[in-house]
């Protein structure tokens, strides 16, 4: 790799240290930020060796932050024993919502759990309400839409005009994928509870603005890549004639 690219990669690795400062106050945000940076670094330089030490250090720091901060330990207990833990109320209500939805749900707008039973039902726990109202079928449709968007972003990153555009789209793709996985994992109690919203769906102005930004980045990278391919094809055709 050119020296400029090496400097860029080392600069990104140094940014991983800043995730520790974020993790002190908000571990879930730090996890998302680290995932984005690790994937971007790996795409820019697919040499996993340069990531081993920073990632190991961050994992150790994450374990220490979980075990030394009281409320995070309570979340682990609520994850393992939601039915008996004092902090497991939200998890249990989320599972009730998912279970009561069945295959096709109760119908759009017919949720019971969102009427004050499930905390943050409009925000972090919105996927549980989707499962309750639209059932397993509706939940799988939502997941399929996210997968289609991620595949489209991957395609755009592969066909971007330059490295910068490819890395930006890769970061956006990773952001959406990681937030989706964490949110759905929390709602279904696959991972401990943490406050990560579901992209494009959870209530709040930031998520709506993020959606607009994503489409702008996606469209810009796609248009630039398409224009460059057309120019290259035109040049080939002219040289052939």
């Amino acid at each position: 790799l050119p020296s400029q690219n090496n400097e860029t990669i080392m600069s990104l690795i140094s940014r991983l240290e800043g995730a520790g400062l974020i993790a002190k106050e908000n571990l879930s945000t730090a996890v998302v930020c680290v995932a984005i940076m690790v994937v971007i670094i790996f795409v820019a330089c697919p040499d996993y060796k340069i990531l081993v030490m920073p990632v190991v250090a961050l994992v150790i720091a994450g374990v220490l932050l979980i075990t030394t901060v009281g409320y995070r330990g309570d979340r682990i207990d609520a994850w393992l024993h939601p039915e008996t833990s004092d902090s497991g109320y939200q998890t249990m209500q989320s599972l009730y919502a998912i279970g009561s939805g069945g295959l096709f749900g109760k119908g759009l707008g017919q949720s019971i759990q969102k009427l004050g039973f499930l905390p943050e039902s409009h925000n972090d726990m919105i996927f549980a309400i989707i499962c309750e109202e639209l059932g397993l079928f509706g939940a799988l449709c939502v997941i399929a839409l996210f997968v289609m968007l991620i595949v489209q972003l991957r395609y755009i990153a592969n066909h971007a005009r330059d490295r910068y555009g490819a890395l930006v789209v890769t970061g956006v793709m990773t952001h959406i994928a990681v937030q989706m996985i964490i949110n759905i994992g929390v709602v279904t109690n696959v991972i401990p509870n943490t406050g990560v919203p579901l992209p494009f769906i959870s209530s709040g102005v930031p998520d709506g603005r993020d959606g607009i930004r994503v489409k702008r980045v996606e469209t810009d990278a796609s248009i630039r890549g398409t224009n460059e391919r057309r120019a290259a094809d035109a040049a080939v055709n002219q040289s052939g004639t």
Side-chain angles (χ1 to χ4, degrees):
L1 285 174
S3 59
Q4 183 178 3
N5 289 338
N6 288 331
E7 292 176 1
T8 302
I9 292 169
M10 295 308 298
S11 176
L12 286 170
I13 292 176
S14 67
R15 299 295 191 277
L16 290 173
E17 301 173 359
L21 300 176
I22 301 175
K24 183 178 179 181
E25 301 296 333
N26 194 329
L27 184 60
S28 57
T29 300
V31 170
V32 174
C33 291
V34 168
I36 294 171
M37 286 186 284
V38 167
V39 173
I40 289 178
I41 293 170
F42 184 79
V43 170
C45 177
D47 182 6
Y48 65 90
K49 295 179 182 179
I50 64 174
L51 294 171
V52 171
M53 291 304 296
V55 170
V56 169
L58 287 169
V59 169
I60 295 174
V63 171
L64 292 175
L65 286 170
I66 292 173
T67 55
T68 56
V69 179
Y71 73 88
R72 288 174 180 154
D74 294 338
R75 289 183 175 182
I76 297 294
D77 182 60
W79 171 52
L80 297 174
H81 310 287
E83 67 282 352
T84 57
S85 173
D86 294 335
S87 303
Y89 175 80
Q90 187 181 48
T91 300
M92 290 302 298
Q93 294 300 320
S94 174
L95 296 177
Y96 289 153
I98 295 172
S100 63
L103 186 58
F104 295 104
K106 298 178 178 178
L108 192 62
Q110 302 302 313
S111 170
I112 301 299
Q113 292 298 106
K114 69 181 181 182
L115 302 178
F117 296 99
L118 176 59
E120 299 296 330
S121 61
H122 63 293
N123 195 5
D124 296 346
M125 292 292 168
I126 189 68
F127 188 74
I129 304 303
I130 293 174
C131 294
E132 184 182 8
E133 295 187 351
L134 303 179
L136 178 62
F137 176 77
L140 291 177
C141 288
V142 171
I143 294 174
L145 289 173
F146 275 110
V147 172
M148 290 171 61
L149 176 60
I150 291 168
V151 170
Q152 182 185 24
L153 289 171
R154 181 179 180 275
Y155 176 84
I156 292 172
N158 287 338
H159 294 81
R161 183 185 66 175
D162 50 26
R163 177 184 290 262
Y164 175 78
L167 294 181
V168 169
V169 176
T170 298
V172 172
M173 177 189 70
T174 306
H175 187 187
I176 294 173
V178 171
Q179 274 203 218
M180 179 198 70
I181 292 170
I182 292 178
N183 181 272
I184 295 177
V186 167
V187 170
T188 56
N189 201 36
V190 174
I191 61 176
N193 199 334
T194 184
V196 174
L198 188 62
F200 308 111
I201 298 178
S202 291
S203 174
V205 175
D207 284 295
R209 290 176 178 172
D210 288 345
I212 296 173
R213 294 189 186 104
V214 166
K215 296 307 294 182
R216 289 181 61 184
V217 169
E218 174 188 340
T219 302
D220 181 62
S222 179
I223 291 174
R224 289 194 300 173
T226 301
N227 290 340
E228 182 177 356
R229 288 194 301 273
R230 289 176 177 175
D233 293 340
V236 171
N237 293 334
Q238 288 179 357
S239 62
T241 56

